[in-house]
Amino acid sequence: SSYDRTLSLEAIDTLCNDTVNQLPTDFKVKNYLLNESQQEAIISSLSKRLTIIQGPPGTGKTSTCVEIVLEWLRLHPYELLMSKILVTAESNCAVDILYRELQIANVSAFRYSFKENMNMDYASIKSKINNARVICATCVGSANDYLKSFQFPFVIIDESTQATELSTLIPLLRNCTQLTLIGDHKQLPPTILSPIANKQGLGVSLFERLINLGIKPKLLNRQYRMHSSLYEFPSKVFYDGNILNG
């Protein structure tokens, strides 16, 4: 479509190659325990306007996400006094996992959701948001009125291959300057109940659309979840044999 052709030019020429934060030549990710593919993905997220991270099962997507947040906080201590990091996902379950891991890493984060905050008054919620450096919410939840007065220049969207393109755009509306999409288009796509909408392309996530247009994702290529004999088949069939065993 004409939309795809226009997006292709802009995505490849501007988004994929646009460096907005020039890192020192000797820069190293603080957590030396991360594997090489995780470190490369993190460095891209810290420097590029757009980074797409493909994480097959068991390759440490959540760990990589947490480390990106920690590095953003380390690199932008003053900028993030006036703005915040937004960490989102399509499902509440995924956001809860990210929020828990950020707490374990001692990150000042606030989990915004109607269910979690329904017994809190307006002043209490605003106070917690003000005091947090990272806000965790679903893609749709990030549009809530409680968050409308805040700027989110740094945005991570986990499970982005399970989100519709429209849902993925919501977290970008608050002055996003650096975006990291994390997911795996070889796994579950967005859930679309309407055959008509699916036929018109709503079942293609922004993550997958950008890859189809030529953007090469950062592949997390070392899995730690299962025996190597079990991973041999999906590695060959879905990932061209590029997945290593931890």
Side-chain angles (χ1 to χ4, degrees), residues 127-171:
S127 176
K128 288 184 176 293
I129 293 173
N130 281 323
N131 292 329
R133 304 186 72 187
V134 179
I135 303 300
C136 301
T138 62
C139 293
V140 174
S142 66
N144 192 275
D145 285 347
Y146 284 110
L147 303 176
K148 67 181 181 181
S149 61
F150 296 94
Q151 300 293 308
F152 298 105
F154 307 101
V155 177
I156 293 177
I157 305 178
D158 194 14
E159 275 192 353
S160 58
T161 49
Q162 298 181 36
T164 65
E165 188 167 355
L166 295 176
S167 178
T168 305
L169 295 176
I170 296 173

Side-chain angles (χ1 to χ4, degrees), residues 18-24 27-30 38-51 53 64-76 85 154 156 177-180:
D18 190 11
T19 298
V20 294
N21 184 30
Q22 192 68 48
L23 299 175
F27 178 85
K28 294 183 182 298
V29 176
K30 191 171 184 179
Q38 289 174 316
Q39 293 190 39
E40 289 179 359
I42 292 169
I43 288 174
S44 177
S45 292
L46 300 179
S47 59
K48 300 295 184 181
R49 186 176 299 279
L50 170 67
T51 296
I53 300 175
T64 302
C65 177
V66 171
E67 291 299 328
I68 292 170
V69 171
L70 290 171
E71 291 292 343
W72 271 339
L73 290 170
R74 183 163 72 97
L75 288 174
H76 305 281
I85 296 171
F154 307 101
I156 293 177
T177 57
Q178 286 187 263
L179 169 65
T180 297

Side-chain angles (χ1 to χ4, degrees), residues 197-215:
N198 200 43
K199 186 176 180 180
Q200 293 297 319
L202 194 62
V204 179
S205 65
L206 179 62
F207 184 108
E208 184 172 6
R209 187 187 298 278
L210 292 174
I211 288 178
N212 291 340
L213 292 172
I215 292 183

